[in-house]
Each structure stands twice: as structure tokens, then as C-alpha cells.
Amino acid sequence: LERINKKEYKKAIISAIAATANQTLVKNRGHKIDVEVPIVFDNSFESLSKTADVVKVLKPILAKELERAKNKKIRSGIRKRKGGKIYPSSAIVVVSKDCPVIKAARNIAGFDSVKVSDLSVELLAPGAKAGRLAIYTTAALEEISKLWFYDSGTLSNYKWKSFEFNR
């Protein structure tokens, strides 16, 4: 791993978080969505322990995205025999603490699930392309505001908008 300056890393992660709230960046990344981003669920979402329950909650909102994530690309050559299937990076589920939904959501093809303390730029912008579809819980957003936005302790609009890309 390469070392990165603290201020530079903070700016990169805040930019990646802000990019998850930008509708055009999320759609340009290839996500098929019809709802406003970011998607925020209440804290009861963190108590889901079965993958089928998580899919049942997400199906009405992200039906096209779940279908897109199932399409796998099979590599050619010897990698085909060694499990060389590539699933597209779909949504990331961000929760506040270690809870059962982490294991349940990561079992869906293309989905990643992570605690706020383990959040990284590589997870929020895989392949250095910002704008990954993010699913947050309200407790996770509060935890993000405590961890990355020290000033007022809340996610105010000007801070989110100041790191958006104007493209």
C-alpha cells in the first residue's frame, strides 16, 4: 500500500461521498436507477439478516440494477477455468456498525457492504470512477458526519455541494 497525505485522503473520501449524491455521476457510471440518490433507509434496515430479505426490500427500488449486477463477464483463456467471472460493481451498502445486514448484502452479486469506519475511496469509486450507487442508513450518515465533517457535526448542504463535480 502506498502512503497518502492525510489532508489529501480526507478530500478524496469527501469527494467520493459527495459523488454518491450526484445523480448524473451515478448514471454516467452505468447504474440503472429511477430514484433520487443517495438512497437512505432507516436504522431497521441494519437488522436484516437474510439475503432474501434484503433483496425483497431493494427489489421495488432497484429492480433494474439488481438485474444488471447479475450479468457476468466470463474471461477468455485459462482464466475461464480458474473462476474468472467478473461481476460489475453495483451498489455499496454503508451501515453504522457491525450488524447482520453486512453479511446478507455482500451475498448479492456486485454489491459490497461496509461499516462507516471501514469506508475507503476504492470502495466508493472503484476503478477511480466516482459516482457509485450508495445505500446508507440514517445512523451511517450520522457516523459519517462525525468522522469526516468535524466542523458542525452534521452534513450541511453547502459541504455536500462544495465537493460536487461541475461536469
Side-chain angles (χ1 to χ4, degrees):
L1 294 174
E2 255 184 71
R3 193 184 140 325
I4 188 169
N5 297 335
K6 290 178 187 176
K7 288 181 183 179
E8 193 174 358
Y9 182 74
K10 181 183 175 185
K11 191 169 185 178
I13 200 155
I14 288 173
S15 297
I17 291 169
T20 63
N22 190 328
Q23 188 85 19
T24 56
L25 282 176
V26 173
K27 284 193 174 184
N28 286 345
R29 205 172 174 284
H31 296 291
K32 299 191 183 326
I33 53 169
D34 299 327
V35 295
E36 290 294 317
V37 291
I39 300 168
V40 180
F41 286 112
D42 61 344
N43 294 334
S44 61
F45 183 74
E46 291 184 356
S47 63
L48 298 175
S49 59
K50 299 280 187 183
T51 304
D53 295 338
V54 175
V55 171
K56 194 183 296 182
V57 171
L58 295 176
K59 192 81 166 177
I61 303 167
L62 300 173
K64 292 178 186 173
E65 186 64 23
L66 289 169
E67 285 301 316
R68 182 186 82 90
K70 283 183 184 176
N71 296 335
K72 60 188 171 199
K73 176 185 171 189
I74 298 175
R75 292 179 174 165
S76 61
I78 197 165
R79 289 301 305 158
K80 184 189 300 185
R81 294 191 301 268
K82 295 183 177 184
K85 296 177 184 83
I86 301 173
Y87 291 94
S89 293
S90 185
I92 182 168
V93 178
V94 182
V95 293
S96 62
K97 58 186 184 303
D98 203 8
C99 54
V101 79
I102 291 178
K103 285 188 178 181
R106 75 176 179 204
N107 211 10
I108 303 170
F111 275 59
D112 289 323
S113 55
V114 67
K115 297 183 295 188
V116 172
S117 58
D118 298 336
L119 205 57
S120 70
V121 178
E122 183 59 38
L123 287 171
L124 288 170
K129 287 184 75 176
R132 187 171 187 184
L133 179 62
I135 301 168
Y136 298 104
T137 60
T138 53
L141 287 177
E142 291 170 7
E143 192 71 26
I144 286 172
S145 68
K146 287 180 198 170
L147 198 59
W148 296 107
F149 301 95
Y150 309 126
D151 302 334
S152 60
T154 59
L155 290 174
S156 58
N157 286 335
Y158 77 91
K159 287 189 178 177
W160 279 85
K161 297 212 185 289
S162 66
F163 286 103
E164 283 185 8
F165 299 101
N166 295 324
R167 293 182 189 161

